Amino acid sequence: MGEHMLVENLLSTWWIVAAAFLAPMLALATRRRIPDVVWLLLLGMLIGPFGLQLAEQTEAVEFLRELGMGFLFLLAGLEINTGQMRGRQGRSAALTWVICLVLGIGAGLLVAQGELHVAIVFAIASTSTALGTLLPILKDSGKAATPLGSATMLHGALGELGPIVAMSLLLSTRGTLAAALVLVAFALAAVLVVLVPHRLFTRIPLLGRAMASGANTTMQTTLRFTVLILITLMLLTAVLQLDVALGAFAAGMLLNAVLAGAAAEHGRTLVHKVETIGFSFLIPIFFVTSGMSIDIGSVVSQWPVLLGFVLSIAVVRGLPVFLREQLTETHSELRTVRDRLALALYASTGLPIIVAVTQIAVSSELIEESMASVMVTGGAITVLLFPLLAQIVEKGRASAPTFDAA
């Protein structure tokens, strides 16, 4: 029995990693017009239980999937500029996200005919931003260090942190007050988990030297410490019945804050190492298995709902971002209408949070599996379509008129 389970796990994993290898080949063949992540989803649909039935969601695969999601959100947290989030631009972006959430709940109430929890699921899904998915796009195009890239990173950070917190507060089986207290307890515990060891490393020279000397050897001390923090905070969120994405995101943000006081070169090296582990193995597994859960037949039969969901994401998330940039001072330094429209399109690109919130909603019996498939497919369409449209919009930037915000 044990050998049979091992064969099943390895066979499913083989098909998944084969899909993960093939996806970038297809992305490069299409000149990245269809991003790697979309190919991962499509190939997952092909090999999954609703396709050729070559791979299954075994227990081992599910665990690797959770680790993949953890690394995706860890990297998102590591890339966040916490100082920028606390500044005027960060406060403006946070207000924009709150406006999006309120609009999303209102739209969700209309769609769900007054069902509040279903409306909340709709709002969280439609106001998220796939920062982890946008990172490679921004880096590969050289836009990460530009005002547009910086603004996209900021809206992306809030488009991940906001929905994660909202999931923990509004979709919890606890009351809202109890859920808030649990969140505060988690935040305090998370700070202690990261800062206590960091203080030990800085206050005890022997420990600090050991950590530094082993960082770039086979011992990989800093990377092992990062993985320890990630698993610790994911475990803590699981014990507290919070979404594990919150633990992973918090791990990235806190480690980022710690690295801010260290040499910049050390921080970049660590991020590169985490990217190597994540993007080579675990993160592709997360996206392929997400595709495996999509019932394409059900999605095709509900194509008007699919198009409506994609449109609602553009209206609920993209339109407020564009109007706020166009009509108010957000301190983003985006001076052209084209740049502001491109930011709105990037901010409307969502997928990982949509996958996470629909999983919670299905397990809580708030929505059907078929509706979850439609929403995840809608998220995949935004990943395929919105960054492409943003890049097309940007091409005419040089000749676009400037428009100073009031």
Side-chain angles (χ1 to χ4, degrees), residues 9 20 25 31 45 47 59 75 82-83 127 177 182 199-200 209 215 251-252 254 281 343 396:
N9 286 323
M25 302 296 105
R31 299 182 180 181
M45 291 163 56
I47 67 174
E59 187 175 349
L75 280 167
T82 52
T127 58
L177 178 59
V182 170
R199 286 295 178 89
L200 291 175
R209 286 196 298 270
L254 290 169
F281 180 47
L343 173 62

Side-chain angles (χ1 to χ4, degrees), residues 377-388:
T377 306
I381 289 174
T382 67
V383 170
L384 172 63
L385 188 61
F386 291 171
L388 179 62

Side-chain angles (χ1 to χ4, degrees), residues 2-14 16-17 55-69 281-282 285-286 289 292:
E3 286 190 15
H4 178 68
M5 287 294 296
L6 178 61
V7 170
E8 280 191 356
N9 286 323
L10 286 173
L11 183 59
S12 291
T13 304
W14 187 90
I16 291 167
V17 297
E56 299 177 4
Q57 298 266 17
T58 65
E59 187 175 349
V61 169
E62 283 288 345
F63 180 69
L64 290 174
R65 169 193 171 83
E66 291 297 315
L67 285 180
M69 183 172 67
F281 180 47
L282 293 168
I285 287 178
F286 168 72
T289 52
M292 288 167 58

Side-chain angles (χ1 to χ4, degrees), residues 134-310:
L134 289 171
L135 278 174
I137 296 173
L138 293 173
K139 287 183 176 181
D140 291 345
S141 62
K143 297 185 180 73
T146 65
L148 175 59
S150 178
T152 300
M153 295 282 286
L154 184 58
H155 281 278
L158 290 162
E160 294 209 343
L161 180 60
I164 290 171
V165 173
M167 278 192 287
S168 302
L169 282 174
L170 303 178
L171 296 180
S172 172
T173 54
R174 307 179 181 95
T176 303
L177 178 59
L181 292 175
V182 170
L183 269 179
V184 172
F186 166 76
L188 293 174
V191 170
L192 290 175
V193 164
V194 176
L195 288 188
V196 169
H198 176 65
R199 286 295 178 89
L200 291 175
F201 295 139
T202 55
R203 297 291 177 86
I204 303 175
L206 181 62
L207 288 177
R209 286 196 298 270
M211 176 68 77
S213 63
N216 296 311
T217 69
T218 55
M219 291 179 282
Q220 293 293 334
T221 48
T222 54
L223 183 57
R224 293 187 192 188
F225 176 67
T226 299
V227 174
L228 175 61
I229 295 298
L230 170 64
I231 301 299
T232 301
L233 294 188
M234 288 178 69
L235 173 62
L236 182 58
T237 50
V239 170
L240 294 175
Q241 297 180 341
L242 299 169
D243 193 272
V244 293
L246 175 61
F249 196 73
M253 288 186 65
L254 290 169
L255 287 169
N256 187 16
V258 169
L259 290 171
E265 184 64 30
H266 292 164
R268 287 195 297 269
T269 300
L270 178 61
V271 170
H272 176 70
K273 291 176 180 178
V274 175
E275 285 179 340
T276 300
I277 295 176
F279 287 118
S280 64
F281 180 47
L282 293 168
I283 293 174
I285 287 178
F286 168 72
F287 284 114
V288 172
T289 52
S290 297
M292 288 167 58
S293 66
I294 296 175
D295 183 351
I296 190 63
S298 175
V299 170
V300 170
S301 68
Q302 300 183 71
W303 66 267
V305 179
L306 174 64
L307 293 180
F309 181 62
V310 174

Side-chain angles (χ1 to χ4, degrees), residues 65-116:
R65 169 193 171 83
E66 291 297 315
L67 285 180
M69 183 172 67
F71 267 81
L72 183 65
F73 282 96
L74 172 70
L75 280 167
L78 283 170
E79 293 286 351
I80 288 174
N81 185 333
T82 52
Q84 187 186 37
M85 289 182 70
R86 293 192 298 268
R88 291 181 298 178
Q89 186 183 358
R91 293 194 295 271
S92 175
L95 176 59
T96 301
W97 183 81
V98 172
I99 293 170
C100 293
L101 181 67
V102 172
L103 289 174
I105 292 175
L109 286 172
L110 292 175
V111 172
Q113 299 179 339
E115 289 287 339
L116 180 60

Side-chain angles (χ1 to χ4, degrees), residues 329-344:
E329 177 55 69
T330 64
H331 308 282
S332 66
E333 299 182 6
L334 299 182
R335 298 303 178 191
T336 69
V337 175
R338 288 180 178 271
D339 274 349
R340 292 163 185 167
L341 182 56
L343 173 62

